[in-house]
Amino acid sequence: MESSNYSYDSVLIRAQSNHESIPITLLMLADPDLEAIEHYKAYCRWWTAEIANHIVGVCGVLQRAAQEWEIMNIAVEVDYERQGIGSKLLDEVLQQLKQYKAQVVTVATGNSSLGALAFYQKHGFRMIRIEHDHFIRHYQQPIIENGIVCRDQVILQKTWADSNSLSSVYPYTKEPYLAMLVSVRIAQMKDSGALVRMKQKLDEQTTFMLLEPGERNLNEAEQREMIRYALRSANSNIFLAEYEGQIIGYLEAIGGKVARNRHSVYIVVGVLQEYANRGIGRRLFQTMIHWAQDRHLHRLELNVQGSNERALHLYRSLGFRIEGIQKNALVVEHQYVDLIQMGLLL
C-alpha cells in the first residue's frame, strides 16, 4: 500500500480480540528482542491502527497494578511514519486506559531514541528516572540510533491523578519526587559493609522486620558471600536503593534452589524509616519485577505482618494476593501478630 492512498480520517483504531494475531515484524520495529516480545505478548491488551483492514500500527499495554499500566510496545510501519498515526493510536489507548480507571501509565525507551522521547513528552509523559546501562546489560548486540549508542533506559510516566503532583500515585507519600532522585542498582561485593550496617539500623527503627535489635549476627564477610552468590545466580539478586551515596533500602530476591521451585522467588525488603512512604519500596519492587520477567521467573512470594497496613497496600497495588494467614506466628512487643503470606504470578 502507498501512504498517499488514504486519508487521516480513514485510519481505524480498534482493540484487538484475544484470538487475533499481532504482526511480529511490526512489533520488532519498536523492540528488537524477539524473546522478550514472546514473553509479554500474550499478557498485553492490544490496539491496532488499520487502513482498509491492513494493520499499520500497534500498541500493547500491560496492567502492572489496579490503576497502573505500562506501554510495552508501540510501533508504526515505516511507510506510515510521521503522518500522525502513532499519535492517533496513542491518544485512543490513553483514553481507553483512563476509562479503565488508570491513574498512571509508564513507558520505557532508550537514551538514543530522540524521536520517541519527544513523542511521549508531547503526549504528556514526563521523565521520572534513568536505568543506567540497561541496554548494555540486557542486549548482546549494540544498538545505535541517531549516531548515539543506546545505553540507558529512560522511564517516562503520565498521570491523571493530579496534573501538578504525583502524590496520589503513592497514597502514603510525604515527598513523592524523592523516589525519582533515588537510584536502584544491583548490589556489588563492595557494598557488604554498608548493607550490613543499614540492616542493623533498620532492625532498631522498626518492628516490621523479623529480627529484633541486636539479633542480626550477619557479618560483613557473610554478607559478601550472599552478594557473591546472588551475582552468580540465575534466579537470585539483591537490589539496593541509594540516595546521595547512602544505601537507604534493599530488596533481596532469593530464588528456589531445587528443580521444582527454581521458578519461584522469596522476597525480603526494607527501607530506612526516614525514607519510608516515599515510593522507594515501589521502585525496588518494580525493578525486581522487570528483572524477574526478563529471566522468565514465574512466582514471587513474601510474608508481611498483619499490622503492617502500608506494606499490605503496596503489595496489593503491585498485584500480590493473600494466599494464607499464619495466626499468632510472631510475638512483637509482647503481642501475638499474624503473618500474612502473599504471592504474585508473573
Side-chain angles (χ1 to χ4, degrees), residues 120-121 124-128 155-158 163-164 177:
Y120 292 124
Q121 290 180 87
F125 287 78
R126 299 186 63 181
M127 289 182 278
I128 61 168
I155 315 298
L156 300 97
Q157 189 177 82
K158 180 180 177 67
S163 60
N164 297 316
Y177 287 101

Side-chain angles (χ1 to χ4, degrees), residues 88-107:
K88 187 172 184 177
L89 176 59
L90 181 57
D91 286 340
E92 178 62 26
V93 170
L94 292 175
Q95 284 300 315
Q96 290 293 319
L97 294 182
K98 194 173 183 180
Q99 291 181 23
Y100 294 155
K101 309 301 182 183
Q103 289 189 358
V104 178
V105 180
T106 304
V107 67

Side-chain angles (χ1 to χ4, degrees), residues 15-32:
Q16 293 284 92
S17 58
N18 292 335
H19 69 274
E20 293 182 276
S21 61
I22 306 295
I24 293 294
T25 53
L26 188 53
L27 297 181
M28 292 186 71
L29 292 175
D31 186 349

Side-chain angles (χ1 to χ4, degrees), residues 188-199:
Q188 303 298 314
M189 286 186 286
K190 65 181 181 180
D191 297 312
S192 336
L195 182 53
V196 168
R197 291 188 292 274
M198 182 265 176
K199 289 179 177 179

Side-chain angles (χ1 to χ4, degrees), residues 107-331:
V107 67
T109 190
N111 63 282
S112 58
S113 301
L114 305 182
L117 288 168
F119 174 74
Y120 292 124
Q121 290 180 87
K122 288 177 181 178
H123 286 82
F125 287 78
R126 299 186 63 181
M127 289 182 278
I128 61 168
R129 69 180 184 273
I130 296 174
E131 300 292 346
H132 294 288
D133 293 327
H134 172 88
F135 292 96
I136 303 298
R137 294 194 304 268
H138 296 290
Y139 289 78
Q140 293 183 350
Q141 300 298 323
I143 301 171
I144 300 177
E145 300 175 284
N146 303 301
I148 303 170
V149 176
C150 186
R151 299 178 57 91
D152 306 322
Q153 187 180 64
V154 182
I155 315 298
L156 300 97
Q157 189 177 82
K158 180 180 177 67
T159 175
W160 291 285
D162 183 337
S163 60
N164 297 316
S165 171
L166 296 180
S167 59
S168 58
V169 178
Y170 309 106
Y172 295 98
T173 294
K174 300 175 184 176
E175 188 180 334
Y177 287 101
L178 177 65
M180 302 177 193
L181 304 177
V182 171
S183 62
V184 175
R185 61 178 178 83
I186 294 171
Q188 303 298 314
M189 286 186 286
K190 65 181 181 180
D191 297 312
S192 336
L195 182 53
V196 168
R197 291 188 292 274
M198 182 265 176
K199 289 179 177 179
Q200 292 170 340
K201 182 177 180 181
L202 193 56
D203 292 338
E204 296 172 355
Q205 290 183 336
T206 177
T207 59
F208 290 136
M209 304 303 290
L210 179 61
L211 301 180
E212 293 191 351
E215 279 191 324
R216 191 178 296 274
N217 296 320
L218 182 70
N219 59 42
E220 185 173 341
E222 291 168 332
Q223 180 66 76
R224 187 181 300 110
E225 285 306 307
M226 291 174 61
I227 294 174
R228 188 196 306 274
Y229 173 82
L231 290 172
R232 293 177 175 177
S233 171
N235 66 345
S236 297
N237 217 332
I238 301 174
F239 300 90
L240 303 180
E242 191 173 60
Y243 177 62
E244 295 184 342
Q246 178 189 0
I247 297 173
I248 62 172
Y250 76 101
L251 185 151
E252 293 176 346
I254 306 164
K257 296 182 179 180
V258 299
R260 292 182 176 178
N261 72 352
R262 285 190 184 124
H263 66 286
S264 185
V265 173
Y266 181 76
I267 298 162
V268 178
V269 63
V271 176
L272 291 176
Q273 289 302 287
E274 56 265 42
Y275 298 98
N277 311 323
R278 303 187 184 189
I280 295 166
R282 183 178 296 272
R283 283 281 315 280
L284 284 164
F285 267 93
Q286 289 172 335
T287 303
M288 180 273 299
I289 288 171
H290 284 301
W291 163 82
Q293 290 171 330
D294 287 344
R295 281 151 183 77
H296 305 296
L297 300 174
H298 180 59
R299 173 177 168 80
L300 307 178
E301 58 188 47
L302 55 83
N303 292 331
V304 58
Q305 292 182 29
S307 56
N308 194 347
E309 294 182 2
R310 288 172 175 167
L312 282 165
H313 174 88
L314 170 63
Y315 303 151
R316 286 195 185 102
S317 75
L318 289 165
F320 283 82
R321 297 292 177 262
I322 295 176
E323 298 179 336
I325 301 177
Q326 299 179 42
K327 300 295 292 184
N328 295 346
L330 301 177
V331 177

Side-chain angles (χ1 to χ4, degrees), residues 22-129:
I22 306 295
I24 293 294
T25 53
L26 188 53
L27 297 181
M28 292 186 71
L29 292 175
D31 186 349
D33 189 339
L34 180 58
E35 185 178 353
I37 291 173
E38 292 293 348
H39 184 62
Y40 63 68
K41 182 162 65 74
Y43 300 99
C44 287
R45 294 193 185 189
W46 293 94
W47 281 262
T48 55
E50 301 179 7
I51 300 172
N53 296 320
H54 173 65
I55 297 177
V56 299
V58 65
C59 180
V61 295
L62 182 65
Q63 188 168 17
R64 293 294 188 187
Q67 296 175 312
E68 298 181 22
W69 297 73
E70 180 177 355
I71 297 173
M72 302 299 294
N73 193 306
I74 182 168
V76 174
E77 279 192 1
V78 175
D79 290 342
Y80 294 88
E81 289 180 344
R82 296 180 177 84
Q83 299 179 47
I85 295 174
S87 289
K88 187 172 184 177
L89 176 59
L90 181 57
D91 286 340
E92 178 62 26
V93 170
L94 292 175
Q95 284 300 315
Q96 290 293 319
L97 294 182
K98 194 173 183 180
Q99 291 181 23
Y100 294 155
K101 309 301 182 183
Q103 289 189 358
V104 178
V105 180
T106 304
V107 67
T109 190
N111 63 282
S112 58
S113 301
L114 305 182
L117 288 168
F119 174 74
Y120 292 124
Q121 290 180 87
K122 288 177 181 178
H123 286 82
F125 287 78
R126 299 186 63 181
M127 289 182 278
I128 61 168
R129 69 180 184 273

